[in-house]
Amino acid sequence: MSAAATPAAAAGSSWFQRFLLPGFAFKAVVIGGGYATGRELAEFFLPSGPWGGLAAMLLAMLLWSIICATTFAFARAIGAFDYRSFFEGLLGRAWILFEVGYVLLVTLVLAVFGAAAGEIGTSIFGWPPLAGTAFLAASIALFVTFGNASVEGLFKYVSFLLYGVYALFMVFALSSFGDEIAARFAIPAPSDGWILGGLTYTGYNVIGAVVILPVIRHLTSQRDAVTAGLIAGPLAMAPAILFFVAMIAFYPGIMGETLPSDFMLRQLEMPLFHLLFQFMIFAALLESGAGSVHAINERVDAARRVRGGAPLGKRARAGIAAALLIGCMFLADRFGLVALIASGYRALSWVFLAVYVLPLLTMGLFRLLRGRAVVENQELQPAVEGNAQ
C-alpha cells in the first residue's frame, strides 16, 4: 500500500479514530499485567523514590510521544500498516532482528498476563491459578478471531472503563490515605537510577507503537500522524502516574508486594470497588493481550496478501491465537509474575532500543524529513484532482 492511497482510504475517519484511537491502542498494549497491577511500577520506578520515580515516568512519557509520532509518520509515509512491513522499510533485510525479539517479547508478555490473571482469579474467586489464565486466553482468542473491528472496539470501551476506574481510585486513595502520600513525598529519598529506569521502561513498552500500526490506517495526513503520536504518550502514562502517586502512601514496603493493586485495595476496605478494580485489571489484560496477538495476525495476513494468497480467515486467526496462548499459559504456570517481569523485560528493553528506537530516530527520521515534500505532494494530489473535476 502506498502513502498516497492512505488519505483516500481514511477519508471517512472520525476525529476519535484519527486522534484518540491510536493513543488508546498504544495504552492498551503497554498497560498489561505489570502496569495494571502496579508490579511494573514497583519494579522500575519505586527504587528511585517518590520524586525520582515520577521523573522517570515523565521521561518515559516524553520518549513515548516522540517515538510514537515518528513511528506513525514514517509508517504512513511508506504505507506500512503491520510491523513486518514497517521494519522492512526501516531496516531492510535486517527486519528479522525485530521479528525474533518481538516473538520473544510476546511470549513473555502473554506469560505475564496469564500469571496476573491467575493471581486475580485466586484472589477473588479462590480459583487455581491456571483457571484464571485459561479464562483470559479464551477471551483474547475470541476477540482477535474477528479482526480489526473487534479489537478496535475493545480498545475503545475498555479505555473508558479504565480511565474512569483509575480516576475513582485516585479520589478514594486521596481521601483515605492522602496524608500518608504527602508525608512520604516530603521525606528526602534517594532518586538514583531514575534515568535508567525511564529508559528501560521506555524500551520494552514503546514497541506498542508498531504493534498498533493497523489502527493508523484511519489517519488522513502526516499532521494527524504526528498529533496522534504526541497524544499517545500522555494517554498511556496518565493512569500509571495516578496509581504511582497512590502507591507512595505505602512506600517502601509496597515494593515487595506481588500485586500492589490488591494490597492497596484491601487498605481501602471497599469490597465492591475492589471487585470493580479487579475487573478493570482483567479488561486491561484482555486488551493488551488482544493487541499483541492481533499484531501477529495482521503481520501474517499482510505476508499472505503480498504473495497473492487469500486474507486470513477467522479460523486461521483463532488458530494462531490459540497456539500462542496455550504455550504461554504453561510458561505463566511455571514461573511467577515478579520473576517474569524482573528477569525478562530488562534484557529485551535494550534489544528494542537497539533495533527499533535508534534506527527510527536516526535513519528513519532522516528519511522522513528528506521525503517530507514528496509525502505532502501525495496528500495534496487527491484534493487537486477533485478540484480539477
Side-chain angles (χ1 to χ4, degrees):
M1 183 182 295
S2 68
T6 306
S13 299
S14 67
W15 183 89
F16 173 85
Q17 289 173 318
R18 291 164 56 204
F19 298 116
L20 295 183
L21 180 60
F24 283 177
F26 179 68
K27 176 271 304 168
V29 173
V30 305
I31 194 166
Y35 176 149
T37 61
R39 185 59 241 167
E40 286 178 11
L41 308 187
E43 186 71 34
F44 293 101
F45 301 125
L46 278 179
S48 297
W51 291 109
L54 276 180
M57 297 177 87
L58 292 175
L59 173 62
M61 183 183 75
L62 175 63
L63 292 174
W64 281 352
S65 289
I66 293 170
I67 296 167
C68 283
T70 309
T71 297
F72 297 167
F74 185 80
R76 189 174 179 279
I78 65 172
F81 301 102
D82 66 275
Y83 70 80
R84 176 178 173 173
S85 301
F86 179 90
F87 281 99
E88 284 180 332
L90 180 64
L91 301 178
R93 293 181 180 180
W95 68 267
I96 192 67
L97 295 175
F98 178 84
E99 180 95 81
V100 171
Y102 181 65
V103 170
L104 290 173
L105 182 66
V106 168
T107 302
L108 175 61
V109 162
L110 293 177
V112 169
F113 295 174
E119 295 272 4
I120 291 171
T122 300
S123 173
I124 296 178
F125 303 110
W127 293 349
L130 198 56
T133 303
F135 184 68
L136 175 66
S139 301
I140 291 172
L142 177 64
F143 275 94
V144 301
T145 295
F146 297 97
N148 279 319
S150 174
V151 174
E152 288 181 10
L154 181 67
F155 291 160
K156 177 179 179 179
Y157 293 109
V158 170
S159 294
F160 295 151
L161 169 68
L162 184 143
Y163 290 122
V165 170
Y166 268 108
L168 280 175
F169 178 78
M170 192 61 186
V171 170
F172 294 148
L174 288 175
S175 63
S176 297
F177 30 82
D179 291 342
E180 288 85 350
I181 294 172
R184 282 163 177 77
F185 268 109
I187 298 173
S191 59
D192 299 344
W194 69 270
I195 294 178
L196 181 61
L199 287 175
T200 305
Y201 195 66
T202 297
Y204 78 85
N205 274 306
V206 78
I207 69 156
V210 289
V211 171
I212 58 95
L213 286 179
V215 308
I216 74 163
R217 69 188 189 281
H218 298 296
L219 302 179
T220 61
S221 67
Q222 292 297 80
R223 180 177 294 179
D224 280 6
V226 172
T227 302
L230 294 177
I231 291 172
L235 283 177
M237 189 60 81
I241 291 175
L242 293 177
F243 195 80
F244 179 83
V245 169
M247 288 174 69
I248 295 302
F250 305 98
Y251 172 80
I254 198 169
M255 292 171 64
E257 294 290 332
T258 300
L259 289 176
S261 61
D262 194 61
F263 171 80
M264 297 198 331
L265 288 164
R266 289 198 304 270
Q267 312 312 306
L268 285 176
E269 298 182 344
M270 301 176 68
L272 290 179
F273 183 72
H274 193 155
L275 287 174
L276 176 62
F277 196 94
Q278 297 290 53
F279 174 73
M280 181 275 293
I281 291 178
F282 181 85
L285 297 174
L286 173 58
E287 67 169 355
S288 291
S292 298
V293 174
H294 181 61
I296 292 179
N297 277 341
E298 290 299 292
R299 174 255 188 270
V300 173
D301 181 65
R304 285 166 59 97
R305 290 172 184 267
V306 167
R307 294 178 183 141
L312 204 60
K314 293 179 182 178
R315 287 187 180 181
R317 290 177 181 273
I320 292 171
L324 282 169
L325 293 162
I326 290 172
C328 293
M329 281 197 301
F330 286 107
L331 186 62
D333 194 45
R334 173 66 178 83
F335 302 100
L337 181 62
V338 175
L340 285 168
I341 291 175
S343 62
Y345 280 179
R346 293 182 185 276
L348 287 171
S349 174
W350 295 105
V351 171
F352 291 121
L353 286 172
V355 303
Y356 168 35
V357 176
L358 183 61
L360 175 70
L361 297 183
T362 53
M363 297 183 301
L365 188 58
F366 174 74
R367 288 167 55 193
L368 185 62
L369 294 175
R370 186 180 63 178
R372 182 176 179 182
V374 175
V375 173
E376 288 176 346
N377 287 338
Q378 289 174 332
E379 291 171 356
L380 289 173
Q381 186 177 358
V384 173
E385 291 175 350
N387 290 335
Q389 292 174 0

